[in-house]
Amino acid sequence: MNTISCTIEKVAPFNNAVFQVILKPSKPFEFKAGQYLCVVMGEKDKRPFSIASAPDAEHIELHIGAAVSESYPMQVVERLKECLATGNSIEIEVPGGDAHLRADSQRPRLLIAGGTGFSYIKSIVEQKIALGQKIETTLYWGCRNQDAMYYETIAREWHDAHPWLNFIPVIEEASADWKGKEANLLEQIKNDFDSLKGYDIYIAGRFDMVGAARELFRTMGVEEDHLYGDAFAFIK
């Protein structure tokens, strides 16, 4: 990993539990869509977050899920807010992770995000758009309710603008006017697919969800060499 200093351009809430962070690196660096960075809080305290922007973007975007009860990410948000107010920079280490987009693959793609796992998926989709790829892609984004789906608008815009992308929003608590699926995310995928054989699958979200997804997908013919998610490096 490389250590790079960044100035903070923006720290603003999407909703009451997720913050959008925009960083400007002091120098360009290379990474692959779907990789992550670590915010350096101390010499032995480096906290990972998916990069939500594509590799060719001028700025780095992060989506930090930081409800008040979750001190680990909230401490990062508070540090970033402090740096924004004082004009100080923060150091990051980049790039990390092996679950990046396999851009040369011609297999259909299944992208799965739980909550702020959408940040990982956003980088991949924006890179596909930048490359002009038209490989069949299905994007599932699961959240507790519509308020939690903080970037719903941009995902629906992708769906409308790109015939190769099918966006399927899934929430567990829906209102009467909800335009999407009301279900558990993994149950919805199980209902929609008889088999996952032949797909490249990219997944991000809470470790328990990702672990449960792998167990389910094994019953659906998943080829695990084509199942990508950084969580798998931390769960057995």
Side-chain angles (χ1 to χ4, degrees):
M1 281 191 170
N2 300 310
T3 301
I4 296 175
S5 176
C6 294
T7 55
I8 293 82
E9 301 280 305
K10 180 181 180 181
V11 182
F14 278 120
N15 54 33
N16 61 4
V18 182
F19 287 82
Q20 181 188 39
V21 174
I22 304 295
L23 306 176
K24 186 172 184 179
S26 58
K27 61 181 180 181
F29 65 90
E30 292 186 359
F31 72 96
K32 297 178 180 179
Q35 289 191 298
Y36 62 84
L37 59 76
C38 289
V39 174
V40 179
M41 297 287 283
E43 184 177 350
K44 295 183 179 181
D45 185 1
K46 300 167 185 181
R47 307 189 187 186
F49 298 96
S50 293
I51 302 172
S53 37
D56 58 349
E58 180 180 353
H59 293 83
I60 302 168
E61 181 179 3
L62 308 177
H63 303 162
I64 300 181
V68 174
S69 60
E70 298 176 289
S71 61
Y72 183 87
M74 184 57 82
Q75 289 166 2
V76 177
V77 170
E78 294 301 332
R79 174 74 65 83
L80 292 169
K81 285 181 175 179
E82 180 183 337
C83 290
L84 177 62
T86 60
N88 291 331
S89 59
I90 197 162
E91 287 189 336
I92 62 170
E93 289 189 352
V94 287
D98 296 319
H100 53 79
L101 174 65
R102 271 56 177 180
D104 293 337
S105 174
Q106 298 300 305
R107 294 158 59 98
R109 291 166 179 156
L110 181 58
L111 311 180
I112 303 166
T116 54
F118 181 77
S119 56
Y120 165 77
I121 298 301
K122 180 175 179 287
S123 177
I124 290 174
V125 172
E126 290 188 344
Q127 180 68 351
K128 284 172 55 67
I129 293 170
L131 294 172
Q133 293 191 345
K134 298 181 180 179
I135 296 167
E136 175 192 343
T137 300
T138 303
L139 164 57
Y140 285 86
W141 187 8
C143 294
R144 183 171 56 85
N145 55 42
Q146 190 172 6
D147 288 341
M149 195 165 283
Y150 56 88
Y151 242 152
E152 178 189 352
T153 299
I154 195 171
R156 291 190 184 276
E157 287 174 355
W158 292 337
H159 176 94
D160 293 339
H162 305 287
W164 49 265
L165 178 64
N166 182 27
F167 171 50
I168 302 174
V170 184
I171 62 176
E172 296 185 5
E173 303 169 6
S175 60
D177 60 350
W178 167 242
K179 295 179 174 61
K181 302 292 186 179
E182 183 178 8
N184 171 272
L185 174 61
L186 298 184
E187 289 179 358
Q188 186 63 52
I189 294 170
K190 183 179 179 180
N191 289 337
D192 291 348
F193 287 85
D194 293 325
S195 172
L196 296 177
K197 187 175 181 179
Y199 285 86
D200 283 350
I201 304 174
Y202 298 84
I203 185 168
R206 297 179 68 93
F207 281 9
D208 56 351
M209 184 277 286
V210 175
R214 181 171 59 183
E215 293 305 309
L216 171 63
F217 296 168
R218 284 170 172 165
T219 71
M220 300 172 67
V222 67
E223 298 157 281
E224 291 194 41
D225 287 347
H226 296 274
L227 175 60
Y228 307 109
D230 283 317
F232 297 130
F234 302 95
I235 58 177
K236 295 182 179 181

PDB file of all heavy atoms in Angstrom, residues 37-68:
ATOM      1  N   LEU A  37      -9.556   1.649   0.648  1.00  0.00           N
ATOM      2  CA  LEU A  37      -8.450   2.377   1.266  1.00  0.00           C
ATOM      3  C   LEU A  37      -8.563   2.251   2.775  1.00  0.00           C
ATOM      4  O   LEU A  37      -9.589   1.824   3.304  1.00  0.00           O
ATOM      5  CB  LEU A  37      -8.449   3.853   0.843  1.00  0.00           C
ATOM      6  CG  LEU A  37      -9.684   4.715   1.148  1.00  0.00           C
ATOM      7  CD1 LEU A  37      -9.779   5.127   2.609  1.00  0.00           C
ATOM      8  CD2 LEU A  37      -9.664   5.978   0.286  1.00  0.00           C
ATOM      9  N   CYS A  38      -7.501   2.604   3.469  1.00  0.00           N
ATOM     10  CA  CYS A  38      -7.515   2.668   4.927  1.00  0.00           C
ATOM     11  C   CYS A  38      -7.265   4.100   5.371  1.00  0.00           C
ATOM     12  O   CYS A  38      -6.305   4.736   4.912  1.00  0.00           O
ATOM     13  CB  CYS A  38      -6.448   1.754   5.523  1.00  0.00           C
ATOM     14  SG  CYS A  38      -6.804   0.006   5.363  1.00  0.00           S
ATOM     15  N   VAL A  39      -8.142   4.608   6.210  1.00  0.00           N
ATOM     16  CA  VAL A  39      -7.920   5.903   6.837  1.00  0.00           C
ATOM     17  C   VAL A  39      -6.983   5.685   8.018  1.00  0.00           C
ATOM     18  O   VAL A  39      -7.247   4.848   8.888  1.00  0.00           O
ATOM     19  CB  VAL A  39      -9.241   6.532   7.310  1.00  0.00           C
ATOM     20  CG1 VAL A  39      -8.969   7.819   8.088  1.00  0.00           C
ATOM     21  CG2 VAL A  39     -10.151   6.815   6.121  1.00  0.00           C
ATOM     22  N   VAL A  40      -5.870   6.424   8.016  1.00  0.00           N
ATOM     23  CA  VAL A  40      -4.872   6.261   9.068  1.00  0.00           C
ATOM     24  C   VAL A  40      -5.273   7.109  10.269  1.00  0.00           C
ATOM     25  O   VAL A  40      -5.183   8.340  10.245  1.00  0.00           O
ATOM     26  CB  VAL A  40      -3.471   6.666   8.565  1.00  0.00           C
ATOM     27  CG1 VAL A  40      -2.442   6.502   9.695  1.00  0.00           C
ATOM     28  CG2 VAL A  40      -3.071   5.817   7.357  1.00  0.00           C
ATOM     29  N   MET A  41      -5.721   6.433  11.318  1.00  0.00           N
ATOM     30  CA  MET A  41      -6.090   7.113  12.558  1.00  0.00           C
ATOM     31  C   MET A  41      -4.917   7.148  13.531  1.00  0.00           C
ATOM     32  O   MET A  41      -4.851   7.986  14.431  1.00  0.00           O
ATOM     33  CB  MET A  41      -7.276   6.399  13.193  1.00  0.00           C
ATOM     34  CG  MET A  41      -8.541   6.415  12.352  1.00  0.00           C
ATOM     35  SD  MET A  41      -9.334   8.031  12.312  1.00  0.00           S
ATOM     36  CE  MET A  41     -10.131   8.043  13.932  1.00  0.00           C
ATOM     37  N   GLY A  42      -3.985   6.223  13.380  1.00  0.00           N
ATOM     38  CA  GLY A  42      -2.801   6.128  14.226  1.00  0.00           C
ATOM     39  C   GLY A  42      -1.850   5.136  13.609  1.00  0.00           C
ATOM     40  O   GLY A  42      -2.175   4.460  12.632  1.00  0.00           O
ATOM     41  N   GLU A  43      -0.658   5.018  14.187  1.00  0.00           N
ATOM     42  CA  GLU A  43       0.367   4.152  13.607  1.00  0.00           C
ATOM     43  C   GLU A  43      -0.119   2.713  13.448  1.00  0.00           C
ATOM     44  O   GLU A  43       0.194   2.042  12.462  1.00  0.00           O
ATOM     45  CB  GLU A  43       1.622   4.186  14.484  1.00  0.00           C
ATOM     46  CG  GLU A  43       2.782   3.394  13.895  1.00  0.00           C
ATOM     47  CD  GLU A  43       4.044   3.493  14.753  1.00  0.00           C
ATOM     48  OE1 GLU A  43       4.075   4.326  15.691  1.00  0.00           O
ATOM     49  OE2 GLU A  43       4.985   2.741  14.472  1.00  0.00           O
ATOM     50  N   LYS A  44      -0.901   2.249  14.408  1.00  0.00           N
ATOM     51  CA  LYS A  44      -1.418   0.883  14.346  1.00  0.00           C
ATOM     52  C   LYS A  44      -2.943   0.861  14.271  1.00  0.00           C
ATOM     53  O   LYS A  44      -3.568  -0.148  14.591  1.00  0.00           O
ATOM     54  CB  LYS A  44      -0.941   0.102  15.571  1.00  0.00           C
ATOM     55  CG  LYS A  44       0.567  -0.086  15.620  1.00  0.00           C
ATOM     56  CD  LYS A  44       0.988  -0.934  16.810  1.00  0.00           C
ATOM     57  CE  LYS A  44       2.496  -1.144  16.838  1.00  0.00           C
ATOM     58  NZ  LYS A  44       2.911  -1.985  17.989  1.00  0.00           N
ATOM     59  N   ASP A  45      -3.511   1.953  13.820  1.00  0.00           N
ATOM     60  CA  ASP A  45      -4.972   2.079  13.745  1.00  0.00           C
ATOM     61  C   ASP A  45      -5.353   2.575  12.360  1.00  0.00           C
ATOM     62  O   ASP A  45      -5.371   3.773  12.096  1.00  0.00           O
ATOM     63  CB  ASP A  45      -5.465   3.040  14.828  1.00  0.00           C
ATOM     64  CG  ASP A  45      -6.995   3.117  14.891  1.00  0.00           C
ATOM     65  OD1 ASP A  45      -7.672   2.419  14.103  1.00  0.00           O
ATOM     66  OD2 ASP A  45      -7.513   3.888  15.723  1.00  0.00           O
ATOM     67  N   LYS A  46      -5.618   1.633  11.470  1.00  0.00           N
ATOM     68  CA  LYS A  46      -5.924   1.952  10.075  1.00  0.00           C
ATOM     69  C   LYS A  46      -7.241   1.296   9.710  1.00  0.00           C
ATOM     70  O   LYS A  46      -7.378   0.077   9.798  1.00  0.00           O
ATOM     71  CB  LYS A  46      -4.779   1.489   9.172  1.00  0.00           C
ATOM     72  CG  LYS A  46      -3.458   2.167   9.542  1.00  0.00           C
ATOM     73  CD  LYS A  46      -2.244   1.530   8.909  1.00  0.00           C
ATOM     74  CE  LYS A  46      -0.970   2.193   9.421  1.00  0.00           C
ATOM     75  NZ  LYS A  46       0.251   1.620   8.816  1.00  0.00           N
ATOM     76  N   ARG A  47      -8.205   2.120   9.325  1.00  0.00           N
ATOM     77  CA  ARG A  47      -9.581   1.641   9.197  1.00  0.00           C
ATOM     78  C   ARG A  47     -10.031   1.611   7.730  1.00  0.00           C
ATOM     79  O   ARG A  47      -9.985   2.628   7.040  1.00  0.00           O
ATOM     80  CB  ARG A  47     -10.500   2.518  10.039  1.00  0.00           C
ATOM     81  CG  ARG A  47      -9.995   2.615  11.482  1.00  0.00           C
ATOM     82  CD  ARG A  47     -10.960   3.276  12.413  1.00  0.00           C
ATOM     83  NE  ARG A  47     -10.349   3.484  13.732  1.00  0.00           N
ATOM     84  CZ  ARG A  47     -10.987   3.945  14.792  1.00  0.00           C
ATOM     85  NH1 ARG A  47     -12.276   4.255  14.704  1.00  0.00           N
ATOM     86  NH2 ARG A  47     -10.355   4.113  15.939  1.00  0.00           N
ATOM     87  N   PRO A  48     -10.472   0.438   7.262  1.00  0.00           N
ATOM     88  CA  PRO A  48     -10.784   0.269   5.832  1.00  0.00           C
ATOM     89  C   PRO A  48     -12.185   0.732   5.447  1.00  0.00           C
ATOM     90  O   PRO A  48     -13.147   0.520   6.183  1.00  0.00           O
ATOM     91  CB  PRO A  48     -10.648  -1.249   5.644  1.00  0.00           C
ATOM     92  CG  PRO A  48     -11.014  -1.816   6.987  1.00  0.00           C
ATOM     93  CD  PRO A  48     -10.543  -0.824   8.012  1.00  0.00           C
ATOM     94  N   PHE A  49     -12.258   1.348   4.259  1.00  0.00           N
ATOM     95  CA  PHE A  49     -13.529   1.747   3.669  1.00  0.00           C
ATOM     96  C   PHE A  49     -13.438   1.564   2.154  1.00  0.00           C
ATOM     97  O   PHE A  49     -12.425   1.912   1.540  1.00  0.00           O
ATOM     98  CB  PHE A  49     -13.861   3.215   3.987  1.00  0.00           C
ATOM     99  CG  PHE A  49     -14.014   3.501   5.448  1.00  0.00           C
ATOM    100  CD1 PHE A  49     -12.958   4.007   6.182  1.00  0.00           C
ATOM    101  CD2 PHE A  49     -15.212   3.235   6.106  1.00  0.00           C
ATOM    102  CE1 PHE A  49     -13.083   4.261   7.541  1.00  0.00           C
ATOM    103  CE2 PHE A  49     -15.350   3.477   7.465  1.00  0.00           C
ATOM    104  CZ  PHE A  49     -14.275   3.994   8.187  1.00  0.00           C
ATOM    105  N   SER A  50     -14.504   1.043   1.558  1.00  0.00           N
ATOM    106  CA  SER A  50     -14.535   0.898   0.098  1.00  0.00           C
ATOM    107  C   SER A  50     -14.456   2.257  -0.571  1.00  0.00           C
ATOM    108  O   SER A  50     -15.024   3.237  -0.089  1.00  0.00           O
ATOM    109  CB  SER A  50     -15.827   0.199  -0.338  1.00  0.00           C
ATOM    110  OG  SER A  50     -15.859  -1.133   0.107  1.00  0.00           O
ATOM    111  N   ILE A  51     -13.745   2.299  -1.689  1.00  0.00           N
ATOM    112  CA  ILE A  51     -13.700   3.514  -2.507  1.00  0.00           C
ATOM    113  C   ILE A  51     -14.926   3.502  -3.407  1.00  0.00           C
ATOM    114  O   ILE A  51     -15.127   2.576  -4.189  1.00  0.00           O
ATOM    115  CB  ILE A  51     -12.415   3.572  -3.344  1.00  0.00           C
ATOM    116  CG1 ILE A  51     -11.183   3.519  -2.428  1.00  0.00           C
ATOM    117  CG2 ILE A  51     -12.398   4.825  -4.208  1.00  0.00           C
ATOM    118  CD1 ILE A  51      -9.863   3.386  -3.173  1.00  0.00           C
ATOM    119  N   ALA A  52     -15.764   4.530  -3.299  1.00  0.00           N
ATOM    120  CA  ALA A  52     -17.020   4.564  -4.043  1.00  0.00           C
ATOM    121  C   ALA A  52     -16.870   5.155  -5.434  1.00  0.00           C
ATOM    122  O   ALA A  52     -17.784   5.052  -6.251  1.00  0.00           O
ATOM    123  CB  ALA A  52     -18.065   5.354  -3.259  1.00  0.00           C
ATOM    124  N   SER A  53     -15.731   5.786  -5.706  1.00  0.00           N
ATOM    125  CA  SER A  53     -15.513   6.420  -7.011  1.00  0.00           C
ATOM    126  C   SER A  53     -14.723   5.486  -7.921  1.00  0.00           C
ATOM    127  O   SER A  53     -14.047   4.567  -7.463  1.00  0.00           O
ATOM    128  CB  SER A  53     -14.774   7.752  -6.823  1.00  0.00           C
ATOM    129  OG  SER A  53     -13.814   7.663  -5.789  1.00  0.00           O
ATOM    130  N   ALA A  54     -14.823   5.738  -9.229  1.00  0.00           N
ATOM    131  CA  ALA A  54     -14.090   4.942 -10.206  1.00  0.00           C
ATOM    132  C   ALA A  54     -12.627   5.380 -10.244  1.00  0.00           C
ATOM    133  O   ALA A  54     -12.287   6.490  -9.817  1.00  0.00           O
ATOM    134  CB  ALA A  54     -14.736   5.097 -11.588  1.00  0.00           C
ATOM    135  N   PRO A  55     -11.733   4.525 -10.755  1.00  0.00           N
ATOM    136  CA  PRO A  55     -10.305   4.849 -10.752  1.00  0.00           C
ATOM    137  C   PRO A  55      -9.919   6.131 -11.483  1.00  0.00           C
ATOM    138  O   PRO A  55      -8.887   6.715 -11.180  1.00  0.00           O
ATOM    139  CB  PRO A  55      -9.684   3.618 -11.433  1.00  0.00           C
ATOM    140  CG  PRO A  55     -10.612   2.501 -11.089  1.00  0.00           C
ATOM    141  CD  PRO A  55     -11.980   3.121 -11.123  1.00  0.00           C
ATOM    142  N   ASP A  56     -10.716   6.584 -12.440  1.00  0.00           N
ATOM    143  CA  ASP A  56     -10.345   7.781 -13.197  1.00  0.00           C
ATOM    144  C   ASP A  56     -10.919   9.063 -12.591  1.00  0.00           C
ATOM    145  O   ASP A  56     -10.750  10.149 -13.150  1.00  0.00           O
ATOM    146  CB  ASP A  56     -10.808   7.661 -14.654  1.00  0.00           C
ATOM    147  CG  ASP A  56     -12.313   7.453 -14.787  1.00  0.00           C
ATOM    148  OD1 ASP A  56     -12.973   7.186 -13.753  1.00  0.00           O
ATOM    149  OD2 ASP A  56     -12.830   7.543 -15.911  1.00  0.00           O
ATOM    150  N   ALA A  57     -11.580   8.970 -11.433  1.00  0.00           N
ATOM    151  CA  ALA A  57     -12.196  10.146 -10.828  1.00  0.00           C
ATOM    152  C   ALA A  57     -11.135  11.057 -10.204  1.00  0.00           C
ATOM    153  O   ALA A  57     -10.105  10.598  -9.711  1.00  0.00           O
ATOM    154  CB  ALA A  57     -13.201   9.732  -9.770  1.00  0.00           C
ATOM    155  N   GLU A  58     -11.408  12.353 -10.222  1.00  0.00           N
ATOM    156  CA  GLU A  58     -10.464  13.326  -9.663  1.00  0.00           C
ATOM    157  C   GLU A  58     -10.436  13.263  -8.142  1.00  0.00           C
ATOM    158  O   GLU A  58      -9.405  13.485  -7.503  1.00  0.00           O
ATOM    159  CB  GLU A  58     -10.848  14.736 -10.115  1.00  0.00           C
ATOM    160  CG  GLU A  58      -9.929  15.831  -9.603  1.00  0.00           C
ATOM    161  CD  GLU A  58     -10.339  17.217 -10.075  1.00  0.00           C
ATOM    162  OE1 GLU A  58     -11.269  17.310 -10.909  1.00  0.00           O
ATOM    163  OE2 GLU A  58      -9.741  18.191  -9.606  1.00  0.00           O
ATOM    164  N   HIS A  59     -11.592  12.968  -7.545  1.00  0.00           N
ATOM    165  CA  HIS A  59     -11.696  12.905  -6.096  1.00  0.00           C
ATOM    166  C   HIS A  59     -12.018  11.478  -5.645  1.00  0.00           C
ATOM    167  O   HIS A  59     -12.469  10.651  -6.437  1.00  0.00           O
ATOM    168  CB  HIS A  59     -12.789  13.855  -5.595  1.00  0.00           C
ATOM    169  CG  HIS A  59     -12.479  15.296  -5.804  1.00  0.00           C
ATOM    170  ND1 HIS A  59     -12.719  15.940  -7.008  1.00  0.00           N
ATOM    171  CD2 HIS A  59     -11.941  16.235  -4.981  1.00  0.00           C
ATOM    172  CE1 HIS A  59     -12.350  17.205  -6.907  1.00  0.00           C
ATOM    173  NE2 HIS A  59     -11.872  17.407  -5.694  1.00  0.00           N
ATOM    174  N   ILE A  60     -11.798  11.207  -4.386  1.00  0.00           N
ATOM    175  CA  ILE A  60     -12.125   9.925  -3.786  1.00  0.00           C
ATOM    176  C   ILE A  60     -13.422  10.090  -2.999  1.00  0.00           C
ATOM    177  O   ILE A  60     -13.548  11.011  -2.191  1.00  0.00           O
ATOM    178  CB  ILE A  60     -11.023   9.457  -2.824  1.00  0.00           C
ATOM    179  CG1 ILE A  60      -9.676   9.359  -3.553  1.00  0.00           C
ATOM    180  CG2 ILE A  60     -11.390   8.114  -2.199  1.00  0.00           C
ATOM    181  CD1 ILE A  60      -8.507   9.191  -2.598  1.00  0.00           C
ATOM    182  N   GLU A  61     -14.365   9.204  -3.258  1.00  0.00           N
ATOM    183  CA  GLU A  61     -15.628   9.238  -2.525  1.00  0.00           C
ATOM    184  C   GLU A  61     -15.722   8.028  -1.599  1.00  0.00           C
ATOM    185  O   GLU A  61     -15.388   6.904  -1.985  1.00  0.00           O
ATOM    186  CB  GLU A  61     -16.817   9.240  -3.492  1.00  0.00           C
ATOM    187  CG  GLU A  61     -18.169   9.307  -2.796  1.00  0.00           C
ATOM    188  CD  GLU A  61     -19.344   9.333  -3.768  1.00  0.00           C
ATOM    189  OE1 GLU A  61     -19.112   9.250  -4.991  1.00  0.00           O
ATOM    190  OE2 GLU A  61     -20.484   9.421  -3.298  1.00  0.00           O
ATOM    191  N   LEU A  62     -16.166   8.270  -0.374  1.00  0.00           N
ATOM    192  CA  LEU A  62     -16.423   7.208   0.590  1.00  0.00           C
ATOM    193  C   LEU A  62     -17.849   7.323   1.093  1.00  0.00           C
ATOM    194  O   LEU A  62     -18.407   8.419   1.149  1.00  0.00           O
ATOM    195  CB  LEU A  62     -15.477   7.311   1.794  1.00  0.00           C
ATOM    196  CG  LEU A  62     -13.979   7.420   1.545  1.00  0.00           C
ATOM    197  CD1 LEU A  62     -13.247   7.590   2.874  1.00  0.00           C
ATOM    198  CD2 LEU A  62     -13.455   6.209   0.802  1.00  0.00           C
ATOM    199  N   HIS A  63     -18.437   6.193   1.463  1.00  0.00           N
ATOM    200  CA  HIS A  63     -19.734   6.168   2.138  1.00  0.00           C
ATOM    201  C   HIS A  63     -19.499   5.479   3.480  1.00  0.00           C
ATOM    202  O   HIS A  63     -19.226   4.280   3.519  1.00  0.00           O
ATOM    203  CB  HIS A  63     -20.769   5.371   1.334  1.00  0.00           C
ATOM    204  CG  HIS A  63     -20.965   5.872  -0.057  1.00  0.00           C
ATOM    205  ND1 HIS A  63     -21.568   5.101  -1.047  1.00  0.00           N
ATOM    206  CD2 HIS A  63     -20.645   7.049  -0.648  1.00  0.00           C
ATOM    207  CE1 HIS A  63     -21.614   5.804  -2.175  1.00  0.00           C
ATOM    208  NE2 HIS A  63     -21.047   6.978  -1.953  1.00  0.00           N
ATOM    209  N   ILE A  64     -19.602   6.222   4.550  1.00  0.00           N
ATOM    210  CA  ILE A  64     -19.294   5.682   5.868  1.00  0.00           C
ATOM    211  C   ILE A  64     -20.580   5.517   6.676  1.00  0.00           C
ATOM    212  O   ILE A  64     -21.248   6.501   6.997  1.00  0.00           O
ATOM    213  CB  ILE A  64     -18.297   6.583   6.616  1.00  0.00           C
ATOM    214  CG1 ILE A  64     -16.987   6.697   5.822  1.00  0.00           C
ATOM    215  CG2 ILE A  64     -18.033   6.029   8.018  1.00  0.00           C
ATOM    216  CD1 ILE A  64     -15.925   7.556   6.483  1.00  0.00           C
ATOM    217  N   GLY A  65     -20.925   4.270   6.959  1.00  0.00           N
ATOM    218  CA  GLY A  65     -22.064   3.998   7.813  1.00  0.00           C
ATOM    219  C   GLY A  65     -21.667   4.247   9.256  1.00  0.00           C
ATOM    220  O   GLY A  65     -20.838   3.524   9.806  1.00  0.00           O
ATOM    221  N   ALA A  66     -22.217   5.297   9.845  1.00  0.00           N
ATOM    222  CA  ALA A  66     -21.762   5.722  11.164  1.00  0.00           C
ATOM    223  C   ALA A  66     -22.933   6.168  12.021  1.00  0.00           C
ATOM    224  O   ALA A  66     -23.092   7.353  12.311  1.00  0.00           O
ATOM    225  CB  ALA A  66     -20.730   6.839  11.040  1.00  0.00           C
ATOM    226  N   ALA A  67     -23.766   5.214  12.394  1.00  0.00           N
ATOM    227  CA  ALA A  67     -24.809   5.525  13.363  1.00  0.00           C
ATOM    228  C   ALA A  67     -24.154   5.852  14.702  1.00  0.00           C
ATOM    229  O   ALA A  67     -23.030   5.436  14.980  1.00  0.00           O
ATOM    230  CB  ALA A  67     -25.758   4.342  13.508  1.00  0.00           C
ATOM    231  N   VAL A  68     -24.847   6.600  15.533  1.00  0.00           N
ATOM    232  CA  VAL A  68     -24.284   7.036  16.807  1.00  0.00           C
ATOM    233  C   VAL A  68     -23.777   5.859  17.631  1.00  0.00           C
ATOM    234  O   VAL A  68     -22.755   5.950  18.327  1.00  0.00           O
ATOM    235  CB  VAL A  68     -25.334   7.841  17.609  1.00  0.00           C
ATOM    236  CG1 VAL A  68     -24.809   8.181  18.991  1.00  0.00           C
ATOM    237  CG2 VAL A  68     -25.707   9.108  16.855  1.00  0.00           C
TER     238      VAL A  68
END
